[in-house]
C-alpha cells in the first residue's frame, strides 16, 4: 500500500512540473506555421485567448493586420517547445518568397494550451545582416536533430550555456562553454566560413561592456535548445539608447554551444552601419560583428 501511494505521489509531482503537454504545443506551432504560409491570421486567433497580446518587433499590432495576414512561401521552419513553461519558439526562413523574410516567434500558452502571447521578430531587407538566402544556406549545413534521450542535458545545463554567453557580454572573466564546431548565424551571415570545423563563435570576438536586458527563455531538452529573447543595447547605431528586439537560439550538446541563430530587427536600414559590419573572411576589412 505504501509503495503504491508513494508511486502515485511521485507521478503527480512529475505531472505537476510539466505544466503543458509537449504534443499539444507541437500542434500549436504547426498551426502557427501553416497559418503564416496561407496568410490566415484567424487560424492563430482561433486557438488564442480573447485578449491575446500580439507584437511585431515589440510593437503591439492587431494580429489581423500584421504579417500573419500575408501568405509567405516558407523554405524552412523549426520550432522548439518548452512544456514546463508552456512556451515555444519558431524560426521561419522565407528566401524564395518574393519578399524574403526571417521571422522568429515566441509564443506563451495558458495551461489549457490556448495562446496568450505572441512576440514576433519580423526581419527583412535592412535588418541586422539580413540575407534570407544566406540564412537558409548556412542552416542547411547544420544538424539540429533531436538529441538522443540518453545524451540529453538538463534544462539547467542548457539554460546556463545560453546565459553564460550573455553574462560574458559584461564580464570578460565568464567562461562560455563553446563546443567544436561552434558557429553563429546572424540575419544570414555566418561565422562558419572563418573555420568550418572549428569554434568560430569565440574567434569572431565578444564584447565585455554590454548589459542585455529583459531576458525571456524557451528551453527544450529534446532539441537541446535554449532561445533567449532580449533587448540588445546599441545594436542600431542611429538609436544607441534603445534596446533592439533580438532572439538568440542556442543549440547545446553535452553542455556545449554548437550553433547560435540570431534574429534582430533594426530601426534604420542596416542598423545604421551601411552594411559594413560583418567581415566576410575574403575581405581585408576587419570589423567586429554583433554576436
Ligand atoms: C515546417 O517544417 C516541417 C518539418 O520540416 C514540414 O514538414 C512542414 O511542411 C513545414 N511547414 C510549412 C508550412 O512549410
Ligand atoms: C482560416 O482559418 C480558420 C480557422 O481555422 C478557418 O475556419 C478558415 O476557413 C480559414 N480561412 C481560409 C481562407 O482558409
Ligand atoms: C547571401 O548569402 C548567399 C549564400 O551564402 C550568398 O551567396 C550571397 O552573396 C549573400 N548575399 C549578400 C548580399 O551578402
Ligand atoms: C565575473 O565573472 C567571474 C567568473 O565567473 C566572477 O568570479 C566574477 O564575480 C564576475 N564579476 C562580476 C563583476 O560579476
Ligand atoms: C579549425 O578548427 C579546428 C578544430 O578546432 C582546428 O583543429 C584547426 O586548426 C582550425 N583551422 C584553422 C585554419 O584555424
Ligand atoms: C551611413 O551612411 C550615412 C549616409 O551616407 C552616413 O551619414 C552615416 O554616417 C553612415 N554610418 C556609418 C556608421 O557609417
Amino acid at each position: 500500500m505504501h509503495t503504491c501511494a508513494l508511486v502515485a505521489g511521485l507521478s503527480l509531482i512529475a505531472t505537476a512540473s510539466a505544466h503543458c503537454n509537449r504534443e499539444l504545443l507541437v500542434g500549436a506551432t504547426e498551426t502557427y506555421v501553416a497559418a503564416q504560409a496561407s496568410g490566415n491570421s484567424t487560424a492563430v486567433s482561433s486557438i488564442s485567448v480573447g485578449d491575446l497580446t500580439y507584437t511585431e518587433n515589440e510593437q503591439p499590432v492587431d494580429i489581423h493586420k500584421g504579417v500573419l495576414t500575408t501568405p509567405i512561401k516558407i523554405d524552412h521552419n523549426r520550432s522548439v517547445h518548452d512544456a514546463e513553461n508552456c512556451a515555444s519558439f519558431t524560426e521561419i526562413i522565407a528566401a524564395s518568397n518574393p519578399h524574403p523574410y526571417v521571422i522568429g516567434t515566441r509564443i506563451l500558452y495558458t495551461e489549457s494550451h490556448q495562446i496568450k502571447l505572441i512576440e514576433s521578430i519580423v526581419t527583412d531587407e535592412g535588418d541586422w545582416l539580413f540575407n534570407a538566402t544566406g540564412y537558409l544556406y548556412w542552416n542547411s549545413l547544420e544538424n539540429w536533430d533531436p538529441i538522443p534521450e540518453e545524451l540529453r542535458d538538463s534544462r539547467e545545463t542548457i539554460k546556463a550555456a545560453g546565459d553564460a554567453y550573455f553574462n560574458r557580454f559584461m564580464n570578460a572573466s565568464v567562461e562560455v562553454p563553446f563546443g567544436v564546431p561552434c558557429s553563429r548565424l546572424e540575419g544570414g551571415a555566418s561565422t562558419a566560413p572563418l573555420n568550418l570545423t572549428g569554434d568560430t563563435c569565440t574567434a569572431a570576438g565578444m564584447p565585455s561592456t554590454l548589459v542585455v536586458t529583459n531576458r525571456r527563455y524557451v528551453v527544450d531538452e529534446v532539441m537541446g535548445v535554449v532561445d533567449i529573447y532580449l533587448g540588445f543595447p546599441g545594436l542600431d547605431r542611429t538609436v544607441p539608447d534603445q534596446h533592439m528586439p533580438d532572439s538568440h537560439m542556442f543549440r547545446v550538446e553535452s553542455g556545449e554551444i554548437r550553433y547560435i541563430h540570431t534574429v534582430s530587427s533594426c530601426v534604420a536600414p542596416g542598423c545604421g552601419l551601411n552594411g559594413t559590419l560583418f567581415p566576410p573572411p575574403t575581405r581585408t576589412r576587419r570589423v567586429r560583428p554583433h554576436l
Side-chain angles (χ1 to χ4, degrees):
M1 281 304 274
H2 271 107
T3 314
C4 287
L6 183 61
V7 170
L10 282 176
S11 68
L12 267 180
I13 292 165
T15 312
S17 72
H19 293 111
C20 277
N21 173 293
R22 184 180 178 87
E23 294 318 310
L24 293 178
L25 297 183
V26 169
T29 54
E30 284 173 357
T31 297
Y32 162 73
V33 174
Q36 182 62 82
S38 61
N40 184 355
S41 57
T42 304
V44 174
S45 61
S46 67
I47 59 167
S48 303
V49 297
D51 60 346
L52 167 72
T53 301
Y54 177 81
T55 66
E56 293 183 0
N57 303 337
E58 291 182 1
Q59 302 303 311
V61 173
D62 177 345
I63 190 172
H64 301 302
K65 299 203 169 113
V67 73
L68 272 168
T69 60
T70 308
I72 292 179
K73 181 177 183 300
I74 295 172
D75 298 308
H76 158 87
N77 73 90
R78 169 182 294 121
S79 293
V80 297
H81 304 91
D82 186 334
E84 190 166 317
N85 289 326
C86 298
S88 63
F89 175 76
T90 298
E91 169 185 79
I92 288 175
I93 306 174
S96 52
N97 196 56
H99 179 147
Y101 286 101
V102 176
I103 300 173
T105 298
R106 174 173 175 267
I107 301 180
L108 298 185
Y109 306 81
T110 66
E111 291 192 14
S112 49
H113 302 93
Q114 282 184 296
I115 295 176
K116 60 179 183 183
L117 170 94
I118 301 178
E119 290 185 297
S120 275
I121 303 177
V122 181
T123 65
D124 58 7
E125 192 62 42
D127 282 310
W128 185 261
L129 299 174
F130 184 81
N131 179 355
T133 307
Y135 220 112
L136 189 64
Y137 171 72
W138 291 108
N139 173 72
S140 75
L141 303 184
E142 301 172 350
N143 177 9
W144 291 70
D145 288 346
I147 310 277
E149 204 160 348
E150 65 279 12
L151 297 177
R152 282 178 200 160
D153 289 318
S154 68
R155 296 176 62 80
E156 292 69 28
T157 298
I158 296 166
K159 183 166 176 283
D163 265 333
Y165 184 85
F166 286 116
N167 293 343
R168 168 65 182 75
F169 273 31
M170 50 184 163
N171 181 347
S173 305
V174 171
E175 294 267 349
V176 186
F178 291 122
V180 175
C182 180
S183 57
R184 189 174 54 246
L185 178 54
E186 304 178 20
S190 176
T191 61
L194 298 171
N195 181 346
L196 286 169
T197 59
D199 159 28
T200 60
C201 293
T202 315
M206 296 194 82
S208 51
T209 55
L210 275 190
V211 179
V212 304
T213 56
N214 194 15
R215 296 185 202 180
R216 289 149 283 164
Y217 304 87
V218 178
V219 181
D220 184 336
E221 306 95 306
V222 177
M223 294 293 286
V225 167
V226 55
D227 186 277
I228 307 182
Y229 264 47
L230 55 113
F232 202 106
L235 181 62
D236 190 312
R237 276 60 175 172
T238 66
V239 282
D241 297 334
Q242 283 183 34
H243 294 189
M244 290 299 109
D246 185 295
S247 161
H248 274 58
M249 177 162 66
F250 299 87
R251 163 78 167 195
V252 178
E253 296 173 12
S254 303
E256 297 187 334
I257 298 170
R258 285 304 172 100
Y259 306 116
I260 308 171
H261 283 190
T262 80
V263 187
S264 325
S265 74
C266 300
V267 173
C271 282
L273 278 156
N274 302 336
T276 57
L277 194 70
F278 200 80
T282 47
R283 284 196 211 154
T284 49
R285 181 168 47 213
R286 179 82 181 89
V287 226
R288 199 179 69 194
H290 137 59
L291 312 151

